[in-house]
Amino acid sequence: MAEERTEGEEETADSGLESSSEAGSSSGAKPGLAQSHGATEVAEEEGSESESESASESESESESESESESESAAKPKRRWLVPLLVYLVSAGVYVALLGDRMLENSPDDHYAHLAQAWLDGRLGIEGDPPGNNDWACYDTQLEDSCPNNRWHFADQERYRWYVSFPPLPAAVILPAVAVLGVDLPDRLFWALLAGVGPLLLFLLLGRMRALGLSDRKRWEDLVLTALFAFGTVFFFVAVQGTVWFAAHVVCVPLILLFCWFSIGAKRPLLAGLMLGLCFLTRPTTAALCLLFGLELLRRHRREKADDTEPEDASWLKGAWLLLRGAEWKKVLRDGGLFSLPILACGALMMWMNDARFGDPFEFGHTYLQIRWRPRIETWGLFNFHYFAKNLAVFTSSLPWLSAEEPFIKISRHGLALWVTTPALFLVLWSKPLNRDARRVIGFLLAAAVPVAFWNLCYQNSGWVQFGYRFALDYLPLLFLVLAMGRRRFRVGFFLLMVWSIAINLFGAVTFDRAWAYYDNDPTQNVIFQPD
């Protein structure tokens, strides 16, 4: 009401001033009238000029508005142009490197056969397996392994053959099998799918910048994406096909989507779904759940909880303050939502295991027809007994140099991770942008460590391979740390990048094609160059 009265008073005052000026002019002499008439003409001329100026201004404003509208309409199209090019370049290189194998069916296409079995209404394959590499045989009478190192049994009802690898990649390739048949060119299929990994990494790096966790420029995101696509073991994995490498091609995009929904912890159901699908592809990735749990604590913090944490707090003290400052009711609520799809995926896998082997916790690897099955029967699939040997591969497996042709050889256990991607050393020297970035870096590393440890306790090193492929179960997380680490990309980094691309290109071209460059030991006992 006071504002209305003030406006009314201002209007009354303005009208009073106008009336007084009109009264003064009307009571004046004729010269005053002539002056008033001249002033009116001048005012009319000025008014017409101002009207023309305002019209031109409105026209220019409307033109600029239409231009901005057209720019905003074109912006979404341009936004997807670079990611599309990332996919096309990555997938194009992978497909090109297939060479004359592009339209071939790979010899160990277990997932295509599993997909065909599902289409036929079966959980196992019909008859004898199409090869002799990593097929599981189950004796239904003894409820135990079949006689080892045999690939044909007359009693097909008693001895049944199964794909013991986690089944999600079979669901991925199933539509293609339904259309093209079990002998489809699976190498081409997996190479095309492999381009999705670099695409999602590039998008996720941009999201980290939008969340205020990274200040990398877009060209730096492209550099990191190129390093992942062509400078890591993902390169040689993408051009193989076959059961062991196809699983990584499927799992890497799922890990990236899991990170997408976990960082910020705002999509617990989707994060849980992605991790559940990861488990159905590479079970050791289940330990990545730690990332979501820590992000959940970061998201649901009581007000002013950050005020009690000093900037230079140690990791241990920061963890304690994170737990103490959490709103546990919200944490438990979102944690329950996160768990639902994971439990559903686990229940599906348990049903499938029980239907095949009578044990919900048996994937089937116990029944593999392999020469080192006695080792598995003694120590199991995972045991600390295997740690030292696998750690030697992870850290110390180098190329074998010789004065004889072909002058270089690689152990079938593959090269150490730092040899294939030395730029990962930058992970150890991070300079986070802010407190949240510092926390997320810690969470990513904390989630990667148990996955790495779990893989190092597996019964083999990833055999047969060019480089340590099990690192792909956590390598996307390390690339996020590289992005948030804020170390500038200088000459040294690009030299390491050139080395990484060159050596992984060598692996992509030679692995499973030029065996002269690889050791032929079949026992898994030779890691280092013999004396």
Side-chain angles (χ1 to χ4, degrees):
M1 295 296 294
E3 291 179 359
E4 290 177 0
R5 285 196 298 270
T6 304
E7 290 176 358
E9 289 171 359
E10 289 176 354
E11 289 177 357
T12 304
D14 289 341
S15 61
L17 288 174
E18 289 174 359
S19 61
S20 63
S21 62
E22 286 176 359
S25 61
S26 61
S27 61
K30 289 183 179 179
L33 289 173
Q35 290 174 358
S36 173
H37 179 69
T40 302
E41 290 179 353
V42 172
E44 288 177 355
E45 291 176 359
E46 290 178 351
S48 61
E49 289 177 0
S50 63
E51 287 176 2
S52 61
E53 288 177 358
S54 61
S56 61
E57 287 177 359
S58 62
E59 288 177 1
S60 63
E61 287 177 359
S62 61
E63 288 176 0
S64 63
E65 286 176 0
S66 61
E67 289 176 0
S68 63
E69 287 176 359
S70 62
E71 287 178 0
S72 62
K75 209 169 187 179
K77 297 180 181 178
R78 289 202 300 267
R79 187 185 305 138
W80 283 100
L81 179 60
V82 176
L84 178 61
L85 289 175
V86 168
Y87 171 79
L88 292 176
V89 170
S90 301
V93 172
Y94 299 152
V95 170
L97 282 181
L98 292 177
D100 56 2
R101 305 193 304 174
M102 184 183 301
L103 301 179
E104 288 182 4
N105 175 250
S106 64
D108 299 298
D109 55 341
H110 296 47
Y111 289 128
H113 286 274
L114 180 55
Q116 186 62 57
W118 290 349
L119 291 171
D120 295 337
R122 293 177 284 102
L123 291 177
I125 67 169
E126 187 175 9
D128 296 327
N132 58 1
N133 202 343
D134 277 1
W135 293 91
C137 184
Y138 182 64
D139 186 336
T140 57
Q141 287 188 10
L142 298 179
E143 297 182 351
D144 203 349
S145 304
C146 301
N148 202 11
N149 296 320
R150 289 181 58 184
W151 305 100
H152 171 73
F153 297 96
D155 190 348
Q156 299 285 333
E157 287 299 319
R158 176 178 176 177
Y159 302 104
R160 297 181 182 176
W161 294 93
Y162 295 98
V163 176
S164 61
F165 294 91
L168 183 65
V172 173
I173 202 173
L174 187 145
V177 172
V179 174
L180 302 175
V182 71
D183 294 324
L184 80 165
D186 61 311
R187 295 186 195 271
L188 177 61
F189 178 87
W190 298 121
L192 290 171
L193 183 63
V196 177
L199 164 66
L200 289 176
L201 175 62
F202 177 73
L203 293 175
L204 183 55
L205 293 175
R207 186 169 185 269
M208 301 298 284
R209 180 170 54 252
L211 292 174
L213 300 174
S214 169
D215 60 352
R216 296 284 186 190
K217 303 293 188 292
R218 209 177 192 199
W219 70 266
E220 292 177 294
D221 293 347
L222 285 171
V223 168
L224 287 174
T225 302
L227 178 63
F228 181 84
F230 308 117
T232 68
V233 290
F234 188 74
F235 195 1
F236 98 94
V237 162
V239 300
Q240 300 305 318
T242 74
V243 60
W244 310 279
F245 308 108
H248 293 294
V249 169
V250 173
C251 198
V252 163
L254 293 174
I255 294 171
L256 289 165
L257 288 172
F258 167 71
C259 292
W260 184 290
F261 296 123
S262 292
I263 295 175
K266 293 184 178 180
R267 298 289 185 270
L269 278 172
L270 290 175
L273 177 61
M274 293 304 110
L275 190 60
L277 296 178
C278 285
F279 175 76
L280 294 178
T281 309
R282 292 281 305 159
T284 53
T285 57
L288 293 176
C289 65
L290 184 60
L291 172 63
F292 183 83
L294 292 170
E295 277 292 281
L296 206 55
L297 294 173
R298 183 172 73 93
R299 180 189 176 197
H300 295 306
R301 289 175 60 79
R302 291 193 298 268
E303 292 184 7
K304 299 182 180 180
D306 284 337
D307 296 341
T308 61
E309 180 179 349
E311 287 289 343
D312 58 347
S314 65
W315 292 105
L316 188 60
K317 184 175 182 180
W320 164 246
L321 293 175
L322 193 68
L323 292 170
R324 193 178 68 176
E327 295 183 275
W328 284 101
K329 186 176 181 179
K330 295 180 180 179
V331 169
L332 294 175
R333 179 199 64 196
D334 287 354
L337 293 174
F338 172 71
S339 302
L340 289 177
I342 298 175
L343 293 174
C345 291
L348 176 63
M349 194 69 252
M350 292 172 69
W351 168 83
M352 188 174 178
N353 293 339
D354 187 67
R356 294 181 298 173
F357 309 115
D359 183 350
F361 300 102
E362 176 57 66
F363 277 87
H365 266 29
T366 302
Y367 308 121
L368 285 173
Q369 293 289 83
I370 48 179
R371 69 172 66 193
W372 34 84
R373 194 167 77 189
R375 179 179 71 201
I376 297 175
E377 292 172 348
T378 301
W379 298 101
L381 285 173
F382 292 92
N383 196 298
F384 188 72
H385 171 78
Y386 308 120
F387 183 84
K389 183 176 181 179
N390 291 334
L391 186 64
V393 175
F394 178 80
T395 61
S396 307
S397 183
L398 304 177
W400 302 355
L401 303 180
S402 173
E404 300 177 358
E405 291 186 358
F407 308 114
I408 185 172
K409 278 195 176 184
I410 296 169
S411 166
R412 286 193 172 193
H413 290 279
L415 296 172
L417 181 61
W418 67 269
V419 175
T420 52
T421 314
L424 289 174
F425 278 122
L426 290 180
V427 168
L428 303 175
W429 292 282
S430 296
K431 296 191 302 181
L433 180 63
N434 49 45
R435 179 183 295 175
D436 281 336
R438 179 174 177 265
R439 286 173 177 160
V440 174
I441 287 175
F443 298 165
L444 290 166
L445 295 176
V449 167
V451 180
F453 179 81
W454 197 355
N455 280 323
L456 289 170
C457 292
Y458 184 58
Q459 60 92 16
N460 70 46
S461 61
W463 167 281
V464 174
Q465 59 189 354
F466 168 73
Y468 188 74
R469 62 184 175 90
F470 287 169
L472 290 171
D473 290 345
Y474 48 87
L475 202 57
L477 280 69
L478 300 186
F479 269 75
L480 295 182
V481 174
L482 280 178
M484 291 188 291
R486 302 182 69 219
R487 291 289 176 181
R488 297 298 97 188
F489 296 157
R490 305 189 189 279
V491 175
F493 174 85
F494 286 106
L495 289 175
L496 294 178
M497 184 175 179
V498 169
W499 165 268
S500 301
I501 293 176
I503 195 169
N504 285 283
L505 176 62
F506 174 81
V509 171
T510 62
F511 184 79
D512 198 29
R513 285 186 266 201
W515 284 113
Y517 293 100
Y518 295 85
D519 176 47
N520 60 1
D521 169 63
T523 67
Q524 293 193 0
N525 293 326
V526 179
I527 299 176
F528 303 112
Q529 186 172 12
D531 294 336

